[in-house]
């Protein structure tokens, strides 16, 4: 039984249908304790004022979504991508976010893409440590490997973390486990179990995989409406030492994004109680 | 430089727009040496006559597609699925096919599904050995994990093969490596390299991953039109000891399936020369 006050709403769940202050109020009104905003809602606004607005509503900021894609054939573009993420990291710190979520991008030369992401992550990790913000690498479902993420397997994300930071009791580089992206992976359990005492799980995102799925990007389901065994996954994540809050992130252009924010939030609160 | 005579046409590439005898003639006329038919073209027909027709056209049968999905909550249905595959194996033998392709099916309880597939594969392997036909397990892209295949990673397919058959110089259980399904996997190279002298690669299927992909089932691309590094993959497959023929299998409802068979086959022949 998970109470909304222990849970995070990722604002993508509400389809960006209102400015962030209104979203903050809706999330607080429905009893949730945490929020994860997106850069599109923050950049170009007074970040300090938004941070106050979150605090005044009684909320805390969990993650900040998400990185500019890293890989590029053009060295100047690669550097610009790193710099854009450095700026976003500073906003994450100003918001008081626990972590900055990295969706890393891709390239048809996957090996080059992976090497660039590893290099960029090293550069950003140094910045993150200075700022006191953590970085969460999010492996995406392999259906996005061509366009959105050369990082697909949880085992690889953990290898990258260990290579960049070594064994440490208080890591600043970790992973975001999004059920939608990793539920199918036969090595997921062993990957999560391998994390142990290092506490490298910084975020746990939930939604569901609908059958059939009309659109792999924006037809994700409400928890309980699909095939993902969220109870088992949540138990495994907790067993691996995760003490953070469950974050709901649902991309649903044809269903949940079309509903009033309060309705979607009420259903999320109910389903978190029954599906995890 | 790959000559068509060394290559296989999987009949799905032509969209099942004509009865198998006409497809056989088209494949032979364009200079290909091998064919992989589907059960929908064979069952209900005189299998011995079709086998003669293939031979008379100067072709050989590479694979036979594909298995009835295995997993079911209902024990009777599970047994019926195994029996359906036993019948298909006999047809594969009657056709003189090198191997029977297994796309294994799935279930929302992935662990149960995997256990059932492993059990069924063991039963079918005994039948296959008697018949002199090999079985090729085909891991599918994880986008199909909910509905079509609980088997997604090449590493897992190889583990299943080794567990079922042990080390052997002439395995009867192996894998079908389809570029579309596995190109994204960061562990693919090491999985393929691990095969070594056991010769467990029974088939190598090619097409391409289009960007953007309109439909993950039936919008696969002609070799060279997408992002898959087929040259590197083909080199790795050969290095692992594969001496079989490259098989083209393109599901393309809106493009190639709408073209005359001879046109599609000519383009396949050209692209095999330039893309691998």
């Amino acid at each position: 039984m998970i109470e909304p006050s222990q849970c995070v709403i990722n604002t993508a769940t509400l389809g960006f249908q209102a400015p962030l202050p209104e979203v903050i109020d809706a999330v607080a009104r429905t009893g949730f304790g945490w929020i994860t905003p997106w850069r599109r809602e923050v950049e170009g606004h007074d970040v300090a004022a938004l941070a106050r607005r979150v605090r005044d509503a009684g909320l805390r900021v969990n993650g900040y979504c998400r990185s500019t894609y890293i890989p590029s054939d053009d060295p100047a573009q690669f550097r610009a991508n790193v710099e854009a993420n450095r700026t976003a990291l500073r906003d994450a710190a100003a918001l008081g976010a626990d972590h900055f979520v990295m969706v890393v991008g891709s390239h048809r030369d996957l090996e080059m893409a992976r090497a660039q992401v590893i290099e960029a992550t090293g550069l950003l990790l140094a910045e993150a440590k200075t700022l006191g913000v953590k970085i969460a690498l999010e492996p995406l479902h392999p259906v996005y490997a061509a366009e959105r993420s050369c990082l697909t397997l949880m085992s690889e994300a953990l290898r990258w973390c260990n290579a960049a930071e070594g064994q440490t009791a208080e890591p600043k580089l970790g992973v975001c486990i999004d059920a939608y992206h990793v539920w199918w992976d036969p090595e997921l359990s062993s990957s999560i179990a391998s994390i142990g005492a290092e506490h490298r799980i910084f975020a746990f995102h939930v939604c569901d995989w609908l059958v059939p799925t009309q659109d792999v990007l924006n037809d994700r389901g409400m928890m309980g409406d699909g095939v993902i065994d969220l109870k088992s996954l949540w138990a495994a994540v907790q067993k691996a030492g995760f003490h953070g809050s469950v974050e709901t992130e649902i991309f649903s252009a044809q269903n949940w994004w079309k509903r009033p924010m309060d309705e979607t939030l009420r259903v999320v609160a109910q389903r978190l109680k029954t599906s995890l």
Side-chain angles (χ1 to χ4, degrees), chain A residues 24-220:
Chain A
I24 291 166
D25 290 346
V27 169
R29 186 163 66 226
T30 330
F32 288 93
W34 301 73
I35 192 168
T36 288
W38 280 62
R39 286 165 69 188
R40 58 188 283 178
E41 301 169 304
V42 171
E43 292 178 353
H45 298 276
D46 181 335
V47 182
L50 288 172
R52 274 195 307 277
R53 181 78 179 232
V54 170
R55 283 196 301 274
D56 291 349
L59 297 178
R60 284 179 286 178
V61 177
N62 192 48
Y64 185 44
C65 284
R66 62 170 169 69
S67 56
T68 298
Y69 295 155
I70 301 290
S72 175
D73 284 319
D74 174 6
Q77 185 61 53
F78 169 78
R79 288 192 299 274
N81 295 342
V82 172
E83 285 314 304
N85 286 322
R86 218 184 278 278
T87 302
L89 272 175
R90 290 190 201 110
D91 285 344
L95 287 167
D98 175 73
H99 57 268
F100 178 57
V101 176
M102 281 189 63
V103 172
V104 300
S106 196
H107 186 280
R108 65 183 299 157
D109 182 343
L110 286 172
E111 286 191 33
M112 183 205 83
R114 288 168 181 147
Q116 288 192 350
V117 170
I118 289 169
E119 180 186 348
T121 301
L123 297 170
L124 294 168
L125 181 58
E127 180 85 22
K129 285 178 175 172
T130 305
L131 291 164
V133 177
K134 296 187 284 187
I135 292 177
L137 294 173
E138 182 172 2
L140 294 201
H141 193 289
V143 74
Y144 307 116
E147 296 171 87
R148 291 182 171 80
S149 180
C150 59
L151 177 63
T152 49
L153 293 181
M154 190 56 60
S155 57
E156 182 160 58
L158 291 167
R159 274 197 302 273
W160 290 3
C161 290
N162 290 329
E165 206 179 22
Q167 296 278 322
T168 165
E170 290 191 11
K172 297 297 178 194
L173 181 63
V175 295
C176 170
I177 299 180
D178 185 315
Y180 191 83
H181 295 306
V182 300
W183 67 275
W184 58 272
D185 181 359
E187 297 177 358
L188 183 62
S189 296
S190 60
S191 294
I192 291 175
S194 77
I195 298 174
E198 299 139 55
H199 302 303
R200 281 220 199 268
I201 306 175
F202 294 168
F204 179 55
H205 291 189
V206 295
C207 68
D208 215 334
W209 183 284
L210 300 176
V211 175
T213 291
Q214 302 299 336
D215 168 11
V216 288
L217 191 59
N218 289 326
D219 185 31
R220 304 187 191 177

